Amino acid sequence: METRQIANKSVIIHNYNTIIVGSGAAGMNCAVHLYEFMEQKKVNNPQERIAVVTAGIGLGASRMSGSDKQTYYKMGTSPDVPDSAGEFAKSLTAAGCCHGDLALAEAVGSLREFYHLVQAGVPFPHDPIGSYIGYKTDNDPYERATSAGPKTSRFMSECLEKQVRRYGIPIIDGQEVTHLLTIGGGKAKQIAAVVTIDKSKLAEENLPINVFFCTNLVLAAGGPGALYKTSVYPKGQVGIHSLALQAGLIAENLTESQFGLASIKFRWNVSGSFCQVIPRIFSADADGNDEREFLADFFPSMSRMATNIFLKGYQWPFDPQRISDHQSSLIDILVFRERQNNRRVFMDFLHNPVGSDSMKQFDIGSLEPEAFEYLKKTGALQDTPIERLERMNPLAIEIYKENGIDLYSEPLEIAVCAQHNNGGFAMNKWWQSNIDHTFIIGEMAGTHGVKRPGGSALNAGQVGGLRAAEYIVNVYGCDPPDYSNHQAEIDRQLKQIITKLEAWGSSSGLVPEEVIDKIQNRMSSSAGHIREMNDARRALAEAVKLYKEIQKQGFKLENKKSIISAIQAEHLALTSAAYLKAIMELLEQGGGSRGSYLVLDGDGIEIHPDISNKTTGKTLKFKPENEKLRNSILQIEYDRDEPDLFRCNTIKPRPAPAPGKAFEPAWQDYREGKIYGC
Ligand SMILES: Cc1cc2nc3c(=O)[nH]c(=O)nc-3n(C[C@H](O)[C@H](O)[C@H](O)COP(=O)(O)OP(=O)(O)OC[C@H]3O[C@@H](n4cnc5c(N)ncnc54)[C@H](O)[C@@H]3O)c2cc1C
């Protein structure tokens, strides 16, 4: 560590072989693997070569998010249900736009990483003989899903953190990433350093800037959850997508995110048992009065309505292919519509669903067989939803209690929220991005296609960290960098950043919080689970204009701490333009409703005969999926000279590699390090 003077400011310089940005389950796991691979290679003091740099050890989706029993999707471990990596990879690629080589690598690495977590201390349940019991998620015959309870991802990141600390790897907390410093150009381009503001030292006179130089960079900063107003991502999960885009990293599938029902007072998914116990779902006015059973008018019978509330449990993400004919995603549409009409929506666990005058009363014995058999099998046929939840999953009640909500006495306010980013940054089968020495893992990596099996995000994050670490240690080595030949280039960029940040002051400019609010409202209404061409076009134009205004006017800072909100507002402004550009491009290519969003279109499929456009009075219709686009991945790249700031390109998903070689030649390839070259 040394201090240098740049633009009359003291800047603290650090030098590591590998910097990992982000301390969620993905980042922590990569740090552990880097240490272990270095140790295997007999590298001295691995802990001095690696550092985890993070905005907050307690922040991010892994630490702060979950559901009734947060799912980890791994290859089947049932003693009597056979599974294979090939079948697992097929499940990952089934809905299209997913690279076959990445899916196969996630499949092959799945059990290795699962047992790595078991060893780290994550309490995944096993039976008396030692089998890790799985359960079936939707369309999964292999019982691949498992869970350590509502807080699986939290346990993962905490157990891995303990290991990181045991190894003595530094975790440098409180660092807001401000810039990714690049050197060179074309194929020789490299991200040489991560520039941060130390949030713990904002009160000091000097702007507290750290520069972390590195030979290798692993980006594990999660999804840009703060893009959306209606979001179940933890508050403050901003991510660093804009910085990665500006550094030249190519993103893929940014159109594909996951949306679904979640509680909003305490942000948590209400998937699984929360729905399977079939709570009453009602709406109320802003003060909680004038209760209405708004679902009842849209279902033909109590049995159908109650069964669909049950099914929402494991058909959790909003899915346009599950709307027509009164399927479970009609519930998301109705919840959204109710909230659009300024009504609040609640789940009430004290009462069973209430129907309309023409419906029979709720009767658990009249549920459709799939729901009834499940509840019978789990012994959850009690009279009320809360009793059924107590029976099925008491931890689901506990998690709300821990967060100040008593499901025995108050209903749970819900909304259709942004939950996960299936797209992200492009990389090869070693999770290396289009810029050599930079790797992307966890939710920042765009490994998922249009749909992903529930729980596969956590698996992908673990396998990605393993793959990146193996490649770094075996191909790029373990030494810190020497960028002395690039000093002028580095100093110029550092001066530019400092000058920009110093120019933001108290007298003029945009107000960061207002900018963030605008972005979040726009993204939730135009880039969420309901999209429309003209609206997306307008939203993109506004997003680009806002970003350009920020460049011209800068920010007005109320106090020293406001600089963090300003940095985040700038990130989100560019990121939102990228997402909207991708959405617009796909709509122009003829993209329809798929994954977790619906595209409104006057010529499409009716959502429901009684759901119409308020202005035109016509029934609302949506465009079906354009299946041809399953075989093309939309890429997006930052280009400041483009009118919309981004350039788009489409590529074909890479196939899974053909079956491998015989043992002896494969062994030779491994010994000679050839496996990293192909
Ligand atoms: C409610 C909910 C339920 C979910 N349930 C499941 C599930 O059941 N199964 C499943 O597989 N997945 C699930 N997911 C998704 C999964 O939890 C996430 O994809 C995963 O935890 C992401 O891990 P990560 O390590 O990539 O990022 P995160 O855990 O989000 O960590 C990001 C890290 O980056 C840091 N960071 C962020 N921005 C910056 C910045 N600007 N500067 C510096 N540092 C920064 C943060 O502090 C944090 O340490 C769920 C997500 C949510 C929101």
Side-chain angles (χ1 to χ4, degrees):
M1 204 160 96
E2 61 171 300
T3 303
R4 282 190 52 208
Q5 289 298 118
I6 308 270
N8 297 325
K9 294 278 156 205
S10 297
V11 168
I12 302 177
I13 306 285
H14 310 250
N15 229 17
Y16 288 94
N17 168 265
T18 301
I19 289 292
I20 299 163
V21 177
S23 55
M28 287 300 191
N29 183 52
C30 187
V32 168
H33 280 303
L34 274 165
Y35 181 100
E36 289 167 354
F37 280 118
M38 286 187 190
E39 202 178 38
Q40 275 168 27
K41 285 235 153 204
K42 303 198 173 13
V43 172
N44 288 333
N45 301 323
Q47 72 280 3
E48 291 172 7
R49 297 163 193 266
I50 311 159
V52 178
V53 171
T54 181
I57 189 116
L59 302 179
S62 311
R63 279 297 162 116
M64 299 176 75
S65 302
S67 57
D68 73 313
K69 52 182 190 304
Q70 198 186 13
T71 304
Y72 189 94
Y73 187 80
K74 51 154 183 54
M75 250 175 71
T77 47
S78 157
D80 46 24
V81 183
D83 195 1
S84 73
E87 284 302 311
F88 188 100
K90 273 188 208 158
S91 305
L92 300 186
T93 55
C97 301
C98 183
H99 292 295
D101 55 356
L102 294 173
L104 190 59
E106 283 175 16
V108 168
S110 169
L111 290 183
R112 179 170 173 186
E113 284 308 281
F114 174 68
Y115 290 119
H116 188 243
L117 290 168
V118 171
Q119 284 306 107
V122 181
F124 286 115
H126 63 73
D127 69 8
I129 204 78
S131 307
Y132 283 89
I133 310 129
Y135 53 91
K136 292 180 191 185
T137 52
D138 202 16
N139 298 324
D140 159 28
Y142 301 100
E143 300 181 0
R144 288 173 180 151
T146 185
S147 175
K151 303 180 205 167
T152 302
S153 60
R154 180 179 187 135
F155 291 154
M156 288 165 60
S157 59
E158 284 175 350
C159 290
L160 291 163
E161 180 196 337
K162 273 192 200 144
Q163 217 163 325
V164 166
R165 294 201 187 275
R166 263 201 309 275
Y167 289 158
I169 300 167
I171 300 172
I172 304 163
D173 204 355
Q175 305 298 314
E176 190 71 27
V177 178
T178 311
H179 182 71
L180 298 177
L181 195 154
T182 57
I183 52 168
K187 196 59 198 137
K189 186 173 192 175
Q190 200 176 333
I191 302 181
V194 177
V195 182
T196 70
I197 302 266
D198 188 338
K199 294 190 283 184
S200 67
K201 295 192 177 144
L202 281 172
E204 291 177 8
E205 195 48 46
N206 199 17
L207 193 61
I209 296 183
N210 281 304
V211 183
F212 295 91
F213 283 99
C214 53
T215 310
N216 308 295
L217 176 62
V218 180
L219 299 180
L227 275 180
Y228 301 91
K229 184 96 194 163
T230 318
S231 171
V232 62
Y233 279 91
K235 284 205 168 134
Q237 173 48 39
V238 176
I240 52 169
H241 279 51
S242 67
L243 301 181
L245 287 160
Q246 280 174 319
L249 296 179
I250 294 173
E252 290 184 348
N253 282 334
L254 288 190
T255 47
E256 309 307 314
S257 290
Q258 209 165 267
F259 304 87
L261 293 181
S263 58
I264 50 179
K265 187 166 140 195
F266 160 57
R267 293 182 169 195
W268 207 253
N269 271 13
V270 291
S271 53
S273 24
F274 292 115
C275 287
Q276 285 166 318
V277 300
I278 320 182
R280 168 185 173 230
I281 298 180
F282 69 94
S283 72
D285 65 18
D287 301 321
N289 301 318
D290 183 27
E291 294 186 7
R292 282 188 215 156
E293 314 304 322
F294 67 98
L295 295 182
D297 295 338
F298 298 89
F299 283 92
S301 66
M302 172 57 80
S303 166
R304 190 101 194 97
M305 180 172 99
T307 300
N308 274 290
I309 296 175
F310 168 90
L311 289 174
K312 197 96 269 294
Y314 52 80
Q315 297 178 354
W316 180 79
F318 170 68
D319 181 346
Q321 281 146 4
R322 285 196 169 117
I323 293 176
S324 45
D325 203 20
H326 311 103
Q327 294 183 72
S328 60
S329 279
L330 178 59
I331 296 175
D332 304 70
I333 296 271
L334 297 172
V335 170
F336 176 74
R337 185 171 172 266
E338 206 63 6
R339 283 177 52 85
Q340 292 286 88
N341 291 334
N342 296 321
R343 308 264 308 160
R344 297 165 69 191
V345 179
F346 297 88
M347 272 183 169
D348 167 6
F349 290 89
L350 300 183
H351 300 99
N352 291 311
V354 178
S356 60
D357 291 345
S358 61
M359 278 181 179
K360 289 187 180 154
Q361 283 214 331
F362 175 81
D363 166 18
I364 209 156
S366 305
L367 290 171
E368 292 176 15
E370 186 172 356
F372 180 73
E373 291 306 325
Y374 187 93
L375 292 174
K376 192 170 157 207
K377 216 167 73 187
T378 46
L381 292 173
Q382 292 74 8
D383 288 342
T384 61
I386 194 74
E387 290 169 298
R388 297 193 281 273
L389 193 55
E390 242 173 44
R391 166 72 201 181
M392 264 169 95
N393 187 354
L395 295 183
I397 302 175
E398 201 52 42
I399 184 81
Y400 278 100
K401 198 166 165 212
E402 277 173 28
N403 290 282
I405 297 176
D406 177 10
L407 297 184
Y408 290 93
S409 64
E410 63 177 302
L412 198 55
E413 186 163 6
I414 57 167
V416 183
C417 293
Q419 185 252 2
H420 186 264
N421 194 32
N422 274 11
F425 287 90
M427 71 272 168
N428 69 11
K429 62 177 178 289
W430 291 101
W431 270 248
Q432 183 167 224
S433 71
N434 58 300
I435 298 183
D436 284 357
H437 291 265
T438 293
F439 296 76
I440 320 279
I441 62 169
E443 196 171 327
M444 259 193 100
T447 57
H448 309 291
V450 170
K451 282 187 190 173
R452 63 174 181 88
S456 59
L458 293 176
N459 178 67
Q462 299 303 286
V463 175
L466 166 78
R467 300 280 293 171
E470 180 175 349
Y471 193 89
I472 287 170
V473 174
N474 287 287
V475 178
Y476 291 141
C478 306
D479 293 332
D482 174 5
Y483 294 128
S484 46
N485 288 344
H486 297 271
Q487 204 56 56
E489 212 177 344
I490 289 167
D491 287 356
R492 185 177 43 75
Q493 276 183 64
L494 287 176
K495 262 185 211 153
Q496 265 172 8
I497 304 154
I498 293 172
T499 311
K500 179 175 102 177
L501 297 178
E502 295 267 306
W504 296 347
S506 57
S507 55
S508 65
L510 303 170
V511 177
E513 289 74 14
E514 287 174 9
V515 167
I516 293 176
D517 208 47
K518 251 189 214 168
I519 295 166
Q520 291 180 336
N521 281 321
R522 184 181 302 126
M523 288 299 287
S524 274
S525 66
S526 304
H529 67 297
I530 303 205
R531 302 176 186 176
E532 197 269 325
M533 174 93 91
N534 290 327
D535 180 56
R537 184 175 291 117
R538 180 197 45 77
L540 170 62
E542 285 174 7
V544 171
K545 186 166 165 251
L546 178 62
Y547 181 73
K548 289 184 177 169
E549 264 169 33
I550 293 172
Q551 303 316 300
K552 262 198 219 133
Q553 298 184 37
F555 287 106
K556 183 174 174 182
L557 308 184
E558 213 168 75
N559 52 46
K560 283 188 167 176
K561 283 191 180 158
S562 309
I563 197 161
I564 300 300
S565 311
I567 290 166
Q568 295 180 343
E570 191 182 21
H571 283 344
L572 293 173
L574 187 64
T575 309
S576 81
Y579 273 65
L580 283 161
K581 174 71 182 172
I583 287 172
M584 198 51 225
E585 174 72 20
L586 195 66
L587 291 174
E588 280 175 344
Q589 286 181 15
S593 311
R594 70 180 189 185
S596 197
Y597 62 88
L598 170 155
V599 176
L600 290 174
D601 181 6
D603 295 329
I605 304 167
E606 206 169 66
I607 293 175
H608 187 285
D610 297 335
I611 299 184
S612 52
N613 180 322
K614 267 201 247 165
T615 338
T616 63
K618 290 188 180 159
T619 14
L620 274 184
K621 294 183 176 169
F622 67 97
K623 186 173 176 170
E625 181 184 3
N626 176 351
E627 290 191 14
K628 278 190 208 140
L629 292 175
R630 286 185 183 185
N631 200 29
S632 90
I633 289 180
L634 179 66
Q635 293 190 327
I636 186 161
E637 195 173 358
Y638 177 67
D639 180 346
R640 62 197 299 186
D641 298 328
E642 285 286 318
D644 292 337
L645 302 169
F646 292 94
R647 227 175 316 122
C648 292
N649 179 35
T650 46
I651 58 159
K652 294 242 173 287
R654 297 187 299 269
K661 295 179 177 175
F663 181 78
E664 282 74 9
W667 186 16
Q668 187 175 356
D669 285 355
Y670 176 76
R671 286 197 313 270
E672 294 171 1
K674 287 186 184 154
I675 57 165
Y676 304 110
C678 50

